[in-house]
Amino acid sequence: MLRFRNRLRMSSPSLAALGIVERSAAKAHASLIAAGWAEIGYGYHGSVHAHPNHPDIVVRLARKADGFGDYVALLRRGFAGSDGPHAPRVHDLHVSRCGALMTVSARLTDPTPDTWWLAYAHAVLVDHPGVVLDEGVRDRFKAAWPAHEPAVDHASFDGVRESFRAAWPGYEAYVASLRAASPRALDPNVGNVLVGRDGSPVVNDPLCDDGFGLWRSPLSRLTARFSNALRRVRGELRGRTPAAA
């Protein structure tokens, strides 16, 4: 097992303290369900679980190391606002040999659709040169906030921008710092801004799903890139080999 060790305050509740032993991609999901960790959300290749005995935390399982692992690695390094209310509190993270990623973090909630700042918070994620929303994401924005277009300068944000900055002055700086540190543009999906216990917007999972392995050491990342390149070359060579008659 590869243990994630960093300068984050990895205190209780940890996976070990919660009694979560099975952490493989193949068996962890069923093990969590059997132990009472009900699935409360899911993504492309992961799920989020909650337990009635631990109402303030969630366990997130990804069957491969993804953008959330990179996000935690960036939080570990620290940047403007990373210790503030707009960053998720991650208590523990574990990556298995097969690449499954499991985390323990503070529980966040979905804002109500009429939350006055919600559309603007997402627009801050979107507002970046060169970022173009695909039609699927744009349709989800329109369905969630029919009165808003996902663009900061849209007229529907008149007055909201000023109120938002007054309420949470560090949010835009946090997103700007994250954008500068991240490997690629931020993911503007509608589920990537949630609400913390104090009611502030929290940038929950802003990086793309294709993990860059930032949680690895530099040597480990180099080794992984070399191994992937070698596998590609071998695959190409096998593809060129004439098939048996």
Side-chain angles (χ1 to χ4, degrees):
M1 294 293 182
L2 174 64
R3 184 68 177 176
F4 187 84
R5 299 189 183 279
N6 55 41
R7 290 169 291 178
L8 281 175
R9 291 188 294 273
M10 294 295 186
S11 58
S12 182
S14 64
L15 289 164
L18 294 171
I20 298 174
V21 177
E22 181 57 65
R23 303 169 190 180
S24 68
K27 301 178 181 178
H29 186 274
S31 179
L32 285 169
I33 297 297
W37 290 90
E39 182 178 304
I40 62 171
Y42 62 92
Y44 289 111
H45 48 74
S47 53
V48 179
H49 300 260
H51 197 288
N53 294 342
H54 306 282
D56 295 329
I57 61 172
V58 293
V59 172
R60 181 182 182 275
L61 167 66
R63 291 174 178 81
K64 69 169 186 173
D66 60 0
F68 189 75
D70 290 337
Y71 187 33
V72 174
L74 293 175
L75 293 174
R76 174 194 63 180
R77 297 176 184 177
F79 52 88
S82 59
D83 289 331
H86 310 302
R89 302 271 70 85
V90 181
H91 302 293
D92 196 10
L93 184 149
H94 181 273
V95 181
S96 68
R97 284 199 181 98
C98 61
L101 181 148
M102 188 177 289
T103 56
V104 180
S105 57
R107 186 167 184 171
L108 304 171
T109 59
D110 291 319
T112 59
D114 59 349
T115 301
W116 67 270
W117 51 259
L118 187 58
Y120 183 74
H122 281 279
V124 174
L125 288 180
V126 175
D127 183 38
H128 185 55
V131 175
V132 178
L133 290 182
D134 63 49
E135 287 305 311
V137 174
R138 184 173 293 277
D139 289 344
R140 287 193 291 274
F141 266 91
K142 290 179 178 179
W145 310 295
H148 298 278
E149 286 287 334
V152 173
D153 293 327
H154 190 274
S156 63
F157 292 108
D158 287 348
V160 176
R161 184 200 303 263
E162 289 71 23
S163 299
F164 185 92
R165 285 174 172 166
W168 296 292
Y171 178 82
E172 289 177 312
Y174 175 80
V175 174
S177 298
L178 177 61
R179 184 179 291 122
S182 66
R184 58 169 60 170
L186 303 186
D187 181 3
N189 210 332
V190 294
N192 290 344
V193 177
L194 299 177
V195 178
R197 297 184 67 179
D198 64 351
S200 294
V202 175
V203 183
N204 180 54
D205 189 8
L207 303 186
C208 296
D209 279 329
D210 297 330
F212 281 74
L214 299 182
W215 40 267
R216 298 179 185 268
S217 68
L219 178 59
S220 179
R221 288 203 302 275
L222 180 63
T223 303
R225 286 198 297 269
F226 177 78
S227 298
N228 290 336
L230 186 59
R231 280 195 293 270
R232 285 197 300 271
V233 171
R234 287 175 175 172
E236 292 172 359
L237 291 175
R238 283 196 296 269
R240 295 191 189 101
T241 302

